């Protein structure tokens, strides 16, 4: 059975491996460039306060090089990978057998349906997990200096493309594809639905699931008006929108609001006397003064960068559990509901 | 006589549609059995239930003394339209069979492939209908099942391919001694290979028996018009038509017809099957036109 599963998976596996080699090649080719840049900007081996400036310099100069394109491409690739795995590897596995009628031949060999599906899932799922793991391992190491210089590896965009989480997404996407294909019985429809489901998961994860997994820290402290990053104001309605500096380097800022003493979001109205710009006026200083008398607070919800691996394991664990649940469901379905 | 397949009140429904309802039959082992009937009689459903591909909705089904389950090494199945993997070569199909069946008979498979002239390196997707059917039969037969089920295996084949395929099937039956059940809506196909015949119409067995007995026990009688009550009590009337002066009957009778007022003729198998399908117990059913 392993032979047949592998034989039928061969073409897709080779196509996937070719894409992987291309990406790995790009990462390996730019490895030296990133290392050199980190050394020449003094970021490698820096210590103390000098690090801040060096990190900024390194991050700025990194944006200009070829390796920055590779960096962006790998982010894109890591988001696309689960969808591609689900659509092209997962969805056809059972759907095509049902469509072409070959399930009637393979199920009349001396192999039970459950075992047949289990081996198909194992081979495809493990290959997907292995490929994603290899890519993520290399990428996480390659991007280590970039991530720590920009302090953003726990932020939603980067988080799903580092560490062990990509393995979970790849395996889950494959099983989603197989299950959707088995239930819908049409390859093309199953591919489209799989794409939607996987994309939906990728959107829902950072917006709904991850904040819940990460248990962000909430801090409310008096607003320091000198740390305001932006003041927005509608001249007619005098509605205000304030944005204060988060001041939590390396953290994922889940929410950052300016609130009134009752805890509600501060929206003005602004004091027309001090805050409206007028010709020959005194500028924003008087408005800031007025704001400081309004008893405002900054409410910050954040996940510190040090929780990166805790969060990685939690999300990975959740994905593995989902994968297993879906596997059990598909095994039940193929025995009881398929035909 | 042992049974290859026993069904009691077997029913299969797909949602509201009933594909097989209350079917009761007993298929003997050690024969090449033809299952004949119009489309929609439930032949295909019965065979798919027998190989465990489908689960019955109600009723009892025993195949070789067991409840059927897919993946059984004792039952082989060649599905309708003989599906094979288009992307795999002929040799890879044999390799698949060897991997998936502990009882795989490799010499048999290779001999058969050579006999029917299949190129092992050819992709199965490029084979003709007849070659594909031969490949599917080889895979099913080399599994060495005790019972081989074939669902309309020759329906899509041209006459020559059909004859070659049936020839292969007969050789297998003789050499390997496996029980074979084959469905078809064409009696001519079955006549050539089967020694036992079951006529299934709307899930009901109309007649079942050894082909020789069926041939010997059925007669077409033509004579002066008579009412049913005046007929010989040992006869079972299968089909009758009457004009004002004359009756034409198809009767089943184990005893020879010795009434000189009837002109008795022998019937061939197709006549018998058609008589059962159109006669006595129900509205006339039209067989599909012969291809």
């Amino acid at each position: 059975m392993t032979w047949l599963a592998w034989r039928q998976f061969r073409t897709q596996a080779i196509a996937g491996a070719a894409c992987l080699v291309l990406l790995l090649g790009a990462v390996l080719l730019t490895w030296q460039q990133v290392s050199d840049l980190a050394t020449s900007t003094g970021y490698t081996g820096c210590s103390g306060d000098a690090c801040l400036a060096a990190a900024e310099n390194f991050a700025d100069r990194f944006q200009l090089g070829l390796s920055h394109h590779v960096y962006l491409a790998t982010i894109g690739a890591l988001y696309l990978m689960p969808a591609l795995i689900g659509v092209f590897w997962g969805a056809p596995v059972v759907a095509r057998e049902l469509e072409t009628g070959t399930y009637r031949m393979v199920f009349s060999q001396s192999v039970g349906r459950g075992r047949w599906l289990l081996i198909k899932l194992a081979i495809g799922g493990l290959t997907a997990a292995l490929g994603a793991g290899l890519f993520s391992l290399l990428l996480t190491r390659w991007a280590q200096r970039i991530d720590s210089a920009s302090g953003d590896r726990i932020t939603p965009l980067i988080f799903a493309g580092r560490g062990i989480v990509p393995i979970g997404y790849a395996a889950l996407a494959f099983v989603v594809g197989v299950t959707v294909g088995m239930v819908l019985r049409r390859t093309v429809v199953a591919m489209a639905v799989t794409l939607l489901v996987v994309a939906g998961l990728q959107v829902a994860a950072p917006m709904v699931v991850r904040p819940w997994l990460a248990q962000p820290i909430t801090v409310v402290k008096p607003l320091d008006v000198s740390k305001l990053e932006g003041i927005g104001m509608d001249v007619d309605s005098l509605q205000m929108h304030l944005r204060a500096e988060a001041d939590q380097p390396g953290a994922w800022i889940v929410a950052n609001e300016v609130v009134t003493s009752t805890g509600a979001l501060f929206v003005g109205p602004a004091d027309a006397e001090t805050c409206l710009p007028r010709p020959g006026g005194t500028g924003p200083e008087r408005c800031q003064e007025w704001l400081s008398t309004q008893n405002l607070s900054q409410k910050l919800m954040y996940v510190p960068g040090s929780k990166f691996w805790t969060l990685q394991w939690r999300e990975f664990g959740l994905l593995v559990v989902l994968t297993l649940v879906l596997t059990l469901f598909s095994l039940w379905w193929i025995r009881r509901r398929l035909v | 006589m042992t049974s290859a397949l026993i069904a009691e009140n077997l029913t299969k429904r797909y949602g509201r549609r009933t594909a097989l309802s209350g079917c009761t039959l007993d298929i003997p082992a050690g024969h090449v059995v033809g299952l004949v009937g119009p489309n929609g009689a439930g032949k295909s459903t019965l065979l798919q239930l027998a190989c465990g591909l489908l689960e019955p909705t109600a009723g009892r089904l025993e195949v070789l003394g067991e409840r059927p389950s897919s993946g059984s090494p004792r039952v082989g199945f060649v599905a309708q339209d003989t599906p094979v993997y288009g992307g795999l070569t002929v040799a890879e199909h044999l390799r698949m069979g060897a991997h998936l069946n502990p009882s795989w008979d490799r010499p048999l498979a290779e001999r058969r492939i050579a006999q029917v002239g299949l190129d092992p390196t050819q992709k199965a997707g490029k084979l003709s209908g007849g070659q594909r059917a031969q490949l599917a039969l080889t895979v099913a037969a080399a599994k060495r099942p005790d019972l081989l089920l074939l669902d309309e295996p020759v329906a899509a084949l041209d006459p020559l391919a059909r004859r070659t395929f049936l020839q292969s099937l007969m050789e297998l039956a003789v050499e390997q001694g496996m029980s074979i059940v084959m469905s078809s809506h064409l009696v001519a196909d079955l006549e050539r290979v089967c020694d036992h015949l079951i006529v299934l119409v709307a899930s009901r067995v109309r007649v079942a028996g050894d082909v020789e007995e069926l041939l010997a026990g059925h007669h077409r009688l033509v004579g002066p018009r008579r009412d049913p009550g005046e007929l010989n009590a040992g006869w079972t009337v299968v089909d009758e038509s009457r004009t004002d002066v004359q009756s034409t009957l198809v009767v089943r009778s184990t005893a020879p017809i010795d009434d000189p007022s009837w002109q008795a003729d022998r019937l061939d198998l197709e006549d018998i099957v058609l008589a059962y399908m159109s006669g006595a117990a129900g509205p006339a059913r039209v067989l599909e036109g012969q291809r």
Side-chain angles (χ1 to χ4, degrees):
Chain A
M1 184 57 227
T2 319
W3 176 82
L4 178 68
W6 168 245
R7 174 62 189 84
Q8 292 185 299
F9 182 51
R10 199 173 66 183
T11 318
Q12 287 123 301
I14 290 172
C19 295
L20 189 63
V21 164
L22 219 64
L23 285 165
L24 292 181
V27 167
L28 288 173
L29 281 174
T30 50
W31 199 293
Q32 196 58 43
Q33 203 182 4
V34 176
S35 296
D36 289 349
L37 192 63
T39 314
S40 67
T41 52
Y43 185 59
T44 308
C46 69
S47 61
D49 288 346
C51 262
L52 276 176
E56 203 167 317
N57 191 15
F58 169 59
D60 285 349
R61 296 215 8 221
F62 172 72
Q63 306 259 334
L64 305 171
L66 170 73
S67 35
H68 188 243
H69 294 291
V70 174
Y71 175 78
L72 293 177
T74 54
I75 292 177
L78 270 164
Y79 274 91
L80 269 177
M81 189 170 64
L84 293 178
I85 285 174
V87 169
F88 291 105
W89 286 12
V93 168
V94 182
R96 185 158 295 156
E97 302 266 356
L98 292 172
E99 238 170 20
T100 56
T102 44
Y103 73 96
R104 290 174 297 167
M105 179 175 71
V106 77
F107 291 166
S108 47
Q109 310 300 313
S110 313
V111 172
R113 290 180 210 181
R115 207 166 94 83
W116 176 83
L117 182 65
L118 195 62
I119 291 170
K120 287 238 159 194
L121 283 175
I123 291 205
L126 290 178
T127 310
L130 195 75
L134 190 68
F135 184 34
S136 178
L137 175 75
L138 203 68
L139 190 66
T140 306
R141 303 208 59 175
W142 176 81
Q144 197 178 26
R145 283 157 302 198
I146 305 159
D147 291 343
S148 63
S150 12
D152 60 356
R153 70 173 180 165
I154 200 169
T155 58
L157 185 68
I158 307 297
F159 183 81
R162 300 283 184 272
I164 51 179
V165 163
I167 301 174
Y169 278 107
L172 178 61
F174 180 75
V175 180
V176 165
V178 173
T179 311
V180 168
M182 178 160 48
V183 173
L184 296 180
R185 312 170 70 95
R186 288 273 170 278
T187 310
V188 177
V189 182
M191 285 170 129
V193 172
T194 303
L195 182 65
L196 288 178
V197 171
V198 173
L201 280 172
Q202 285 177 312
V203 172
M207 294 181 80
V208 185
V209 184
R210 206 172 297 150
W212 172 69
L213 287 175
Q215 303 288 318
I217 299 166
T218 305
V219 179
V220 182
K221 60 182 179 189
L223 180 70
D224 180 352
V225 289
S226 64
K227 289 262 177 78
L228 279 175
E229 273 179 334
I231 304 176
M233 186 167 47
D234 187 282
V235 182
D236 297 322
S237 66
L238 294 176
Q239 279 208 346
M240 284 192 101
H241 175 76
L242 302 182
R243 186 171 170 79
E245 215 173 278
D247 205 24
Q248 287 291 343
W252 168 31
I253 310 298
V254 180
N256 180 10
E257 297 169 339
V258 175
V259 295
T260 64
S261 54
T262 60
L265 181 70
F266 174 71
V267 289
D271 177 37
E273 193 64 30
T274 53
C275 291
L276 276 184
R278 14 173 129 242
T282 48
E285 289 80 12
R286 285 189 61 207
C287 189
Q288 284 186 4
E289 254 168 56
W290 172 78
L291 280 171
S292 64
T293 63
Q294 296 301 304
N295 202 14
L296 296 175
S297 301
Q298 180 186 18
K299 185 181 172 193
L300 195 61
M301 278 173 82
Y302 69 97
V303 182
S306 58
K307 274 187 104 174
F308 179 79
W309 281 107
T310 316
L311 191 52
Q312 280 272 332
W313 279 106
R314 283 184 191 165
E315 188 159 328
F316 176 72
L318 181 66
L319 293 169
V320 169
V321 167
L322 283 177
T323 306
L324 291 179
V325 167
L326 215 50
T327 301
L328 290 177
F329 170 78
S330 64
L331 286 173
W332 171 80
W333 185 278
I334 201 164
R335 289 203 187 108
R336 295 273 162 262
R337 300 296 306 275
L338 188 67
V339 273
Chain B
M1 189 169 68
T2 55
S3 293
L5 186 154
I6 302 172
E8 259 174 41
N9 231 345
L10 191 65
T11 299
K12 175 68 187 174
R13 274 185 225 103
Y14 298 98
R16 280 179 171 176
R17 196 170 68 83
T18 304
L20 191 72
S21 92
C23 176
T24 299
L25 63 87
D26 187 335
I27 298 180
H31 287 270
V32 180
V33 179
L35 189 61
V36 69
N39 277 9
K43 308 185 296 287
S44 193
T45 307
L46 178 66
L47 290 179
Q48 291 190 61
L49 285 165
C51 70
L53 216 48
L54 298 179
E55 285 277 319
T57 314
R60 192 173 73 94
L61 178 61
E62 250 181 40
V63 176
L64 301 171
E66 296 167 1
R67 245 189 93 216
S69 67
S70 75
S72 159
R74 299 182 65 201
V75 180
F77 180 56
V78 177
Q80 201 161 5
D81 304 325
T82 56
V84 291
Y85 289 116
L88 265 60
T89 64
V90 170
E92 281 171 330
H93 273 87
L94 299 193
R95 200 162 164 199
M96 172 195 80
H99 278 285
L100 298 190
N101 299 289
S103 54
W104 185 254
D105 187 341
R106 193 173 150 196
L108 170 69
E110 281 170 0
R111 198 173 61 240
R112 269 196 43 76
I113 290 300
Q115 243 171 34
V116 297
L118 288 180
D119 173 6
T121 59
Q122 177 127 41
K123 288 250 197 266
K126 297 236 165 79
L127 297 176
S128 72
Q131 290 172 319
R132 213 179 57 211
Q134 289 285 7
L135 176 59
L137 176 63
T138 303
V139 172
K143 178 184 172 180
R144 293 293 219 112
D146 299 331
L147 171 64
L148 181 58
L149 306 168
L150 300 103
D151 188 5
E152 306 256 4
V154 292
L157 305 188
D158 64 63
L160 188 62
R162 187 176 289 189
R163 176 183 291 242
T164 321
F165 184 91
L166 294 173
Q167 184 68 38
S168 306
L169 195 62
M170 253 190 322
E171 284 165 14
L172 274 174
V174 173
E175 286 169 22
Q176 312 296 329
M178 52 181 87
S179 306
I180 294 178
V181 178
M182 172 181 154
S183 77
S184 179
H185 52 249
L186 296 182
V187 187
D189 292 336
L190 299 174
E191 198 165 20
R192 209 171 285 146
V193 289
C194 297
D195 55 13
H196 191 94
L197 196 76
I198 297 172
V199 177
L200 193 72
V201 178
S203 308
R204 296 285 180 279
V205 175
R206 280 292 156 78
V207 67
D210 286 350
V211 170
E212 278 174 31
E213 279 174 32
L214 291 178
L215 287 174
H218 286 83
H219 314 271
R220 174 183 279 125
L221 305 181
V222 181
R225 185 188 160 120
R226 255 171 272 188
D227 287 325
E230 305 168 41
L231 296 176
N232 189 320
W235 296 354
T236 312
V237 177
V238 177
D239 193 17
E240 61 175 325
S241 59
R242 259 173 282 170
T243 64
D244 286 344
V245 293
Q246 182 177 291
S247 283
T248 306
L249 307 175
V250 174
V251 298
R252 185 171 194 179
S253 164
T254 41
I257 306 292
D258 44 14
D259 185 340
S261 62
W262 291 102
Q263 182 203 329
D265 283 318
R266 294 292 296 269
L267 290 154
D268 65 18
L269 201 59
E270 185 153 10
D271 294 331
I272 298 172
V273 169
L274 282 171
Y276 274 101
M277 283 204 263
S278 62
R285 278 168 192 275
V286 183
L287 272 182
E288 278 192 14
Q290 302 221 354
R291 278 181 244 204

